[in-house]
Amino acid sequence: MRLLVWAVLIYVGYKIVKGFVSDKKKDEPAPSEPVREETYQDPVCGVYVTEEDAVIGRHEGERLHFCSMECLEKYRQQLESK
């Protein structure tokens, strides 16, 4: 009889501990997917850049994204020579 009582107490203790552990896992944020940034292709050299890293130029109201000031200047020279 004592063995049965000890077995029940151990089982109840196990369930209580397991409940606390699973609650902590629920509180932790799930790993999220990496943030994907939109990229733009430089019209001069073809390199892809993010909005944060790009040099922004405008032509006829359209935003153009360049990898560097050199590419922006080359693009402006190409427009002037046309």
Side-chain angles (χ1 to χ4, degrees):
M1 191 64 160
R2 285 184 182 177
L3 184 60
L4 182 61
V5 172
W6 278 107
V8 170
L9 289 175
I10 290 172
Y11 178 74
V12 170
Y14 167 76
K15 285 295 196 176
I16 291 172
V17 170
K18 186 176 177 185
F20 283 124
V21 171
S22 66
D23 285 346
K24 286 185 180 181
K25 287 183 180 178
K26 289 179 185 176
D27 292 341
E28 294 175 3
S32 61
E33 292 184 21
V35 177
R36 296 183 182 161
E37 295 185 54
E38 187 173 359
T39 57
Y40 303 91
Q41 187 174 17
D42 185 314
V44 176
C45 67
V47 171
Y48 286 90
V49 293
T50 62
E51 177 111 27
E52 184 178 302
D53 296 331
V55 175
I56 307 293
R58 290 196 179 273
H59 178 66
E60 296 178 356
E62 182 182 355
R63 286 176 60 124
L64 300 170
H65 299 79
F66 298 92
C67 67
S68 64
M69 282 301 291
E70 290 80 21
C71 283
L72 175 61
E73 293 301 322
K74 286 180 187 177
Y75 185 79
R76 287 180 178 164
Q77 289 174 357
Q78 290 173 357
L79 288 176
E80 290 174 0
S81 65
K82 289 183 180 181

